[in-house]
Amino acid sequence: DTAVSQTPKYLVTQMGNDKSIKCEQNLGHDTMYWYKQDSKKFLKIMFSYNNKELIINETVPNRFSPKSPDKAHLNLHINSLELGDSAVYFCASSQSSGLNEQFFGPGTRLTVL
Amino acid sequence: AQSVSQHNHHVILSEAASLELGCNYSYGGTVNLFWYVQYPGQHLQLLLKYFSGDPLVKGIKGFEAEFIKSKFSFNLRKPSVQWSDTAEYFCAVNGRRSSASKIIFGSGTRLSIRP
């Protein structure tokens, strides 16, 4: 029933590891996003895919690689995790041919030790 | 440069007080405007949105916002807050065009309501 879902909800890992976060939406939207929310609650867009094609790629280290196998899924893979990667990562989706209201997932809290 | 400013970082009110949270934006062209709310430990949810028409927009839970184009503002209001309104509030803007465009979020305003 969940519109935008993310797994896992919590992720605790050591520096240097590689991890992935998955996102799925069942709203039939054609655009998906990844946001990073830091400890001060500041929300910043990282990537956006429209119909499996990358359309927004903000200044993000290339250790972060998004992958969209189909328009309902947008996964985020992070290589060589660093302490500064600790944050809450939110996935969102919207319909591009409209007014771009975005629907957010529940977030994944990543803690790098 | 595109930006959204929320000048109040933390607002503390007593229950039944009136609320106004400021939001100013800088964005070329016609815009869509949003207010999102994030309750403690939860994800962002849309409170209300402005696309066109009546500049006074009513949202869920008794919230409203007014778009004043000349002031580039979209302030959020509620006449009487409740303890359950304790949350982080984000103002956001994006450009109104047919293809997807990124939403720019403000830095958020933390609202604490004293019971």
Side-chain angles (χ1 to χ4, degrees), chain A residues 31 35 37 41-43 45 55-56 58 90 96-97 99-102 104-106, chain B residues 32 34 36 38 43-44 46 49 51 88 90 94-95 98 100-103 105 107:
Chain A
T31 306
Y35 288 87
Q37 186 176 47
K41 300 290 189 182
F42 186 66
L43 199 64
I45 191 164
I55 55 168
I56 294 174
E58 293 295 292
F90 286 100
S96 63
S97 64
L99 302 171
N100 306 136
E101 172 189 338
Q102 294 187 9
F104 284 80
Chain B
N32 304 316
F34 309 86
Y36 283 86
Q38 186 177 25
H43 62 286
L44 276 81
L46 186 71
K49 59 194 177 191
F51 294 141
E88 194 89 20
F90 294 91
N94 74 349
S98 58
S101 65
K102 64 181 181 183
I103 285 186
F105 283 87
S107 54

Side-chain angles (χ1 to χ4, degrees), chain A residues 6 8-12 41 87-89 106-111, chain B residues 41:
Chain A
Q6 294 177 230
K9 193 170 181 182
Y10 299 97
L11 186 52
V12 181
K41 300 290 189 182
V88 181
Y89 292 84
T108 296
R109 183 175 291 278
L110 171 64
T111 303

Side-chain angles (χ1 to χ4, degrees), chain A residues 8 10-21 36 46 60-65 76-89 108-113:
Chain A
Y10 299 97
L11 186 52
V12 181
T13 188
Q14 300 282 342
M15 264 197 317
N17 284 349
D18 304 337
K19 290 292 177 188
S20 291
I21 308 172
K36 179 180 180 182
M46 301 172 69
V60 176
N62 57 15
R63 297 182 294 104
F64 289 79
S65 51
L76 184 64
H77 188 75
I78 316 170
N79 288 327
S80 304
L81 278 156
E82 299 178 358
L83 293 176
D85 297 333
S86 296
V88 181
Y89 292 84
T108 296
R109 183 175 291 278
L110 171 64
T111 303
V112 182
L113 303 174

Side-chain angles (χ1 to χ4, degrees), chain B residues 25-33 50-52 67 93-96:
Chain B
Y25 67 91
S26 171
Y27 202 106
T30 311
V31 296
N32 304 316
L33 294 154
Y50 170 80
F51 294 141
S52 63
F67 171 49
V93 63
N94 74 349
R96 194 179 309 162

Side-chain angles (χ1 to χ4, degrees), chain B residues 33-96:
Chain B
L33 294 154
F34 309 86
W35 274 98
Y36 283 86
V37 60
Q38 186 177 25
Y39 297 104
Q42 294 190 29
H43 62 286
L44 276 81
Q45 303 169 45
L46 186 71
L47 261 186
L48 48 78
K49 59 194 177 191
Y50 170 80
F51 294 141
S52 63
D54 189 343
L56 184 61
V57 179
K58 295 201 183 296
I60 60 170
K61 305 187 181 189
F63 285 92
E64 65 178 33
E66 185 174 12
F67 171 49
I68 303 180
K69 191 175 179 181
S70 60
K71 294 184 178 180
F72 300 93
S73 70
F74 190 56
N75 292 354
L76 181 71
R77 298 195 292 251
K78 185 170 183 178
S80 175
V81 294
Q82 301 171 301
W83 179 79
S84 57
D85 293 325
T86 295
E88 194 89 20
Y89 292 80
F90 294 91
C91 182
V93 63
N94 74 349
R96 194 179 309 162

Side-chain angles (χ1 to χ4, degrees), chain A residues 65-79:
Chain A
S65 51
K67 281 193 173 51
S68 182
D70 55 62
K71 68 177 191 178
H73 295 84
L74 180 61
N75 303 325
L76 184 64
H77 188 75
I78 316 170
N79 288 327

